[in-house]
Amino acid sequence: MVKLAEWRGKELFRKYGIPLPKGQVARSADEAVRAVTSGAVPLPCVVKAQVLAGGRGKGGAVRFANTAEEVRAAAEGILALEFKGERVKELLLEGKVAIARELYVSLALDRSARLPVLIASGQGGVEIESVDDAAIDRQLVDPFPGLAAYERRRAARALGLSGPAAKALDGLLVALWELFQREDAELVEINPLAVVGDGLIALDAKVIIEDDAAFRHPEYAEIRDDRTPLEEIAREKEIAFVQLDGNIGVIANGAGITMATLDVLKEFGGNPGVFLDLGGTDDPRKVTEAFLLMARARPKAVLLNIFGGVTRCDTVAKGLVEAMTQVPASERFPLIARIRGNNEKEGIEILRAAGVASVPDLKSCAQAAVAAAAGGRP
Ligand code: GDP
Ligand code: MN
């Protein structure tokens, strides 16, 4: 997922002609002061932390300044913040706008409908999750004809806009749709969209580029820091592999059993560090690759929890045993296994021959994994 900072989102807004306040990015208090003394940003202005988390307004990460001195104080204050765990390194300064009303507009993907959805609300400026459903207008958009004129008119009505402001919204929505499509976005959100006189100005920008289209956007390569190097390799090999902070590895098949296994480990005081979802993999080579990747994450212990349905237990066991022979001795870890279901007996036999016992109940498995990770014997 490529989540763009506000200023990057606004660069896209500018490219597509969505109206914005005059602004500039600064990376130090000196730069912030220069932004206003040079006239690039008019006073009074807004100084905003460029972090990915929302709720900056409430959290003191959006401040107003009337003079260059106030800009310095605001910039220094915000640059010293660690906002929801993220150090503030960049600021966006913009001329302050006199807001008549704050609206909410976004285009997102409705995954259950498998369609884009246009969301509009007259209650902007607060998180959309906290807005009463009755105050939110949602329209699914057929992507082939694109956002239609009648849909744009309905949004204007929902926002209580008429005359020139409704016309401004129409043009803005055309641009927003263009951006959403051409930039492969899965979310483009303007909150607040400010009503200023007869016009509209986007005061905030949240843009997320669809993960599966990210390869078409090398321009974001250097800000894609949301995947660990191992997760990157896993992605290339089409292996579902996620790294967390803990020290116990989990190998399971299917999202449900994987999550349940993580929960059970937590329940017994364990700390899952990495998990691998084999899904319906029925290819021993892929199981081997996945297991080797797991080894590289250096877990203290690994809990294997397989329910053989589509995946046969013996296939998984074969892949695992093959992989175990390839893991260097220095990187070996205690393996606690639970395999049940299709071809269970054969699978257990293959594992036993390789020195891995399969424990039938998950509770004992989890306790053994937690003990092993803590340095005890599995
Ligand atoms: P968020 O809280 O992280 O979503 O940050 P926003 O960019 O949405 O800013 C939070 C709030 O600051 C907005 O809802 C506005 O009420 C206020 N704000 C931002 N820019 C301006 C501005 O130019 N003028 C005024 N009056 N308020 C602003
Ligand atoms: Mn906002």
Side-chain angles (χ1 to χ4, degrees):
M1 187 166 83
V2 186
K3 213 168 156 182
L4 303 187
E6 177 188 4
W7 70 267
R8 287 184 195 273
K10 283 183 168 168
E11 278 193 344
L12 288 178
F13 282 12
R14 190 162 291 116
K15 179 171 155 193
Y16 286 84
I18 295 169
L20 296 169
K22 224 174 148 190
Q24 187 159 307
V25 174
R27 292 180 176 83
S28 67
D30 283 340
E31 271 183 40
V33 170
R34 234 173 295 135
V36 291
T37 53
S38 70
V41 176
L43 284 169
C45 75
V46 189
V47 185
K48 310 175 80 176
Q50 297 301 287
V51 288
L52 296 179
R56 294 167 301 167
K58 269 185 268 166
V62 173
R63 299 184 195 177
F64 299 98
N66 293 306
T67 63
E69 292 70 48
E70 286 179 20
V71 166
R72 179 175 297 283
E76 280 172 353
I78 296 176
L79 283 169
L81 285 179
E82 192 176 288
F83 191 76
K84 298 184 182 170
E86 195 181 339
R87 282 224 56 83
V88 182
K89 292 187 193 134
E90 296 171 329
L91 304 168
L92 177 64
L93 288 93
E94 287 182 335
K96 186 175 174 185
V97 165
I99 305 173
R101 280 180 63 210
E102 297 189 51
L103 311 175
Y104 174 99
V105 171
S106 71
L107 277 165
L109 276 184
D110 182 325
R111 291 184 193 278
S112 51
R114 300 180 173 188
L115 287 171
V117 58
L118 172 65
I119 305 173
S121 171
Q123 297 180 23
V126 296
E127 282 184 18
I128 193 72
E129 290 79 6
S130 67
V131 175
D132 188 1
D133 227 38
I136 302 175
D137 183 63
R138 291 188 174 83
Q139 300 186 74
L140 293 174
V141 180
D142 185 330
F144 296 107
L147 188 64
Y150 69 89
E151 291 165 331
R152 305 195 297 267
R153 281 197 298 273
R154 178 171 132 185
R157 240 181 350 264
L159 294 174
L161 301 177
S162 58
K167 202 163 172 218
L169 181 79
D170 195 77
L172 183 141
L173 289 179
V174 169
L176 202 67
W177 176 257
E178 284 290 304
L179 189 163
F180 183 77
Q181 289 261 305
R182 294 219 184 134
E183 304 295 330
D184 297 310
E186 63 174 53
L187 175 73
V188 184
E189 183 188 78
I190 310 180
N191 185 26
L193 173 64
V195 179
V196 180
D198 278 343
L200 299 171
I201 299 181
L203 292 193
D204 195 4
K206 186 168 170 187
V207 178
I208 300 177
I209 306 298
E210 172 71 44
D211 211 16
D212 295 313
F215 72 95
R216 286 205 286 245
H217 299 275
E219 69 271 30
Y220 302 131
E222 96 272 17
I223 57 164
R224 296 199 53 160
D225 54 0
D226 50 344
R227 259 186 236 127
T228 68
L230 287 180
E231 284 175 339
E232 199 57 55
I233 296 169
R235 189 185 150 78
E236 277 157 24
K237 295 182 188 266
E238 293 178 21
I239 295 169
F241 178 92
V242 175
Q243 272 185 298
L244 309 167
D245 293 329
N247 56 10
I248 302 176
V250 167
I251 305 177
N253 60 329
I257 193 171
T258 304
M259 293 302 134
T261 310
L262 297 179
D263 282 353
V264 173
L265 276 172
K266 278 267 182 201
E267 185 68 25
F268 290 103
N271 212 350
V274 52
F275 66 87
L276 192 63
D277 175 2
L278 296 177
T281 306
D282 206 7
D283 173 359
R285 280 223 328 263
K286 193 131 180 225
V287 175
T288 304
E289 269 187 353
F291 191 82
L292 289 173
L293 207 59
M294 172 65 83
R296 288 175 62 185
R298 296 304 198 95
K300 284 267 191 323
V302 168
L303 172 52
L304 172 79
N305 190 14
I306 300 295
F307 180 76
V310 179
T311 321
R312 286 162 34 208
C313 293
D314 56 330
T315 306
V316 174
K318 250 180 237 155
L320 276 179
V321 170
E322 171 58 30
M324 278 161 55
T325 63
Q326 294 182 32
V327 176
S330 63
E331 288 177 19
R332 299 250 167 93
F333 41 76
L335 180 66
I336 295 95
R338 173 179 182 270
I339 50 174
R340 316 229 42 189
N342 193 1
N343 284 9
E344 174 179 324
K345 277 207 189 95
E346 291 84 343
I348 290 175
E349 192 44 51
I350 293 167
L351 285 182
R352 207 198 12 234
V356 178
S358 176
V359 184
D361 83 289
L362 185 52
K363 183 180 166 188
S364 314
C365 278
Q367 286 170 326
V370 172
R377 303 233 114 237

